[in-house]
Amino acid sequence: MHDMASEVTLVVVIGILLIGAVATIANRIGVAAPLLLVVLGAGIALVPGAPDIEVPPEVFLTIILPPLLYTAALKVPAVDFRRNLRVIGYLSVVLVAVSALVVALVLQSLWPVIGFAVALALGAVVAPPDAVAATALGKRLGLPPRVVTILEGEGLLNDATALVLLSTAVAAIERPGSSDVEGGMLVGDFALAVVVALVIGAVVGYATVRIRQFAGDRAIDTAISLATPFVSFLAAESLRGSGIVAVVVTGLVIGNRSQVRIRATRRAQESATWSTFSVIVENGVFLTMGMQLPSVMAAVDEGERHLVGVIGVGLLLCAVLLAVRLAALPPLLAWLRHHAWRLRREHDRLGERLQGIDTTTKRGARLQHVHVVRGHDLSAFRDQKLGWRDTLAIGWAGMRGVVTVAAVQTLPAETPMRAELVLAAFVVAIVTLLVQGGTLALLVRALGLGRDRSERRRMELESIVGEAIDTGVEAMRREAQAHGIDEAVVDIASERMLARRAWAAHVAEVDPDDPTTDVAQISRLRHIAIEAERVWLDRVRRSGRFDSATVAVAQRIIDREEIGLQADEDEH
């Protein structure tokens, strides 16, 4: 038992080190880390004496997937998610269901022996694009904010549709003498799963924010954060809800409510913790996939010709999925334009109604609030209007990843042609990451989609920072008057805050990726200064020149400066 534990620990440690090394190399040479890890994993598996890696499918779906989606959901603004909910719903429900159905029909025509339920199961496996891969790449390439939000939202919710389809198909596979999938049961299961998940996810999210608000220790706060996605997932699953949707809702609630309720230092700590987890776990899935690839190919043991045929089927499914996705986007664009026109007309009608309503009453105030919100929505839709170039980028960004790799391994052992199905799914994940992920940057540049550096954005940033600072200064002055604080102290504190206004306006005008700008150079100099301060403070600490408590206070000041600098860099 001790030897087995030592071996597992060694494998995990080596895996983490390999992931870190490959991720570093991939960033420097501009290649997607998952692809390098798949190749590395396959190479390791071919080494004589290499350990056989067999991860139970339940580990992927209950331990790995929930925190990955939770981490992504924490970063999605709720307002943007609400504004694009129609697009997200279309892509994550309708498109996933249609893609799974088309793949099932194609697959059944090629391999009639497997039956429709098995074909639909694989369709559900390969239908949902990966949430993390697409959005991370989109942000790095500077895609418009609305496009990134749509990709984030789609990737967060499409897994629920796919997994409900998969569970229904697997139930039909396991039912003796039956391979039919009942449409009524499918719709009913999906509706129940979503409703339960929405309730559970919201309850867990709001409760967690309240609990963490009063957590007195950082370690306890981190422990609660680590447990949250699993609590939400397991609670929803136990009530026949979608654990995936529940986790996403919980992440959205916490990510947007914590800005007010939870301290910045704890949110920074939470972000660092989950970012580390995401890098290790997501890349670990692809390393594991690579190590399983030789054995999966060996299981397709009917000769080299058959193996090539299975890979060809996987390539065909890639083409089918891309064709369905691109074909679904023009109707979406037309629908969005019609919705924007209808929303504008309703907004105008509501404005006319408000002219004859007393807005000081409860009903009048509510209608006025709705009118203001709709006005902001219309402005956002107008400024971030989706065109054919945006939708083409959305279509090309449909890479498959962690969910496809994990879900295909949940197929029952008695599934006909199981090894072939697993290999086909692996091919879809690898090829879409290689082809679509590898060429998305070229497509973005060819389409002229870049970062929004408009004058309007600069003015918005200057306005919001300015109003926030004015609010803060006014609050300081009220506090000073109430407690007799010297006005000179208020002036000193105000000067430090007012300096942020000019800096924010300047930062908005420069390219955040250009290392030659003064903003990048100032950031580099600040990093050098902080590093020098840290080294000097360490020498002082070891010399015993100052009291340890005093040194600790100085260390916290330097740490806060570094946290603030890192936050500025993450934002810009």
Side-chain angles (χ1 to χ4, degrees), residues 404-478:
T404 295
V405 174
V408 73
Q409 298 178 66
T410 65
L411 294 176
E414 65 271 17
T415 303
M417 299 182 66
R418 186 181 187 278
E420 287 82 353
L421 297 173
V422 172
L423 180 57
F426 280 11
V427 170
V428 170
I430 294 172
V431 172
T432 54
L433 282 171
L434 177 63
V435 177
Q436 292 168 238
T439 59
L440 184 59
L442 298 175
L443 180 66
V444 169
R445 285 195 291 268
L447 294 175
L449 294 174
R451 297 185 185 275
D452 180 9
R453 303 187 185 96
S454 65
E455 177 68 13
R456 184 178 187 279
R457 186 188 179 197
R458 185 194 68 79
M459 294 175 62
E460 277 190 346
L461 181 61
E462 186 175 1
S463 175
I464 194 171
V465 172
E467 290 182 26
I469 290 172
D470 290 342
T471 302
V473 170
E474 181 62 27
M476 286 194 301
R477 296 195 183 280
R478 288 197 304 268

Side-chain angles (χ1 to χ4, degrees), residues 252-321:
L252 288 172
V253 170
I254 293 176
N256 287 272
R257 296 296 297 170
S258 64
Q259 306 294 331
V260 177
R261 304 283 185 177
I262 300 176
R263 295 178 183 176
T265 52
R266 295 191 179 181
R267 284 187 276 111
Q269 179 176 309
E270 178 184 41
S271 177
T273 299
W274 283 117
S275 296
T276 303
F277 179 90
S278 297
V279 169
I280 293 174
V281 171
E282 186 186 6
N283 288 321
V285 170
F286 288 102
L287 180 63
T288 304
M289 172 184 170
M291 297 182 70
Q292 292 176 328
L293 193 57
S295 61
V296 170
M297 296 176 69
V300 184
D301 56 0
E302 297 183 20
E304 182 178 347
R305 187 174 180 180
H306 182 61
L307 179 62
V308 173
V310 174
I311 295 175
V313 169
L315 295 174
L316 175 62
L317 296 183
C318 293
V320 168
L321 289 167

